[in-house]
Amino acid sequence: VDPGSDMNVVVTSRRWPFGEQEQIKSLTVPSTRSHVDTKIAGRQLKIRWEAPTATAWWRQGEVRVDMVASGRR
């Protein structure tokens, strides 16, 4: 078990339901950070957490997402 490894977060968005995935953002979160700031636009978001190795160990707390309405409605 590797408690000091980084975590990869992949965020994808869609502008319309069943539409093509438009934006894909991949972020690397070091084990020393408690949060990551990013900006992505779309009506639907998908967030995926990935461990870089099979022995990586992470403890995920509360997931918080701040959203703001903008443009194209």
Side-chain angles (χ1 to χ4, degrees):
V1 176
D2 183 9
S5 64
D6 296 346
M7 177 66 66
N8 299 323
V9 180
V10 180
V11 183
T12 58
S13 72
R14 293 175 192 232
R15 189 169 301 217
W16 309 110
F18 306 108
E20 294 293 319
Q21 292 182 354
E22 293 185 358
Q23 291 187 8
I24 299 175
K25 195 171 272 196
S26 182
L27 309 162
T28 300
V29 184
S31 60
T32 56
R33 297 277 315 259
S34 62
H35 73 282
V36 174
D37 293 323
T38 187
K39 182 176 181 180
I40 192 165
R43 284 183 156 203
Q44 294 181 338
L45 296 178
K46 179 172 62 173
I47 303 171
R48 183 176 69 219
W49 288 267
E50 299 176 339
T53 64
T55 60
W57 184 86
W58 266 70
R59 189 166 143 180
Q60 181 178 333
E62 196 172 305
V63 177
R64 297 181 191 178
V65 179
D66 293 325
M67 296 184 288
V68 176
S70 65
R72 307 186 78 165
R73 290 187 238 186

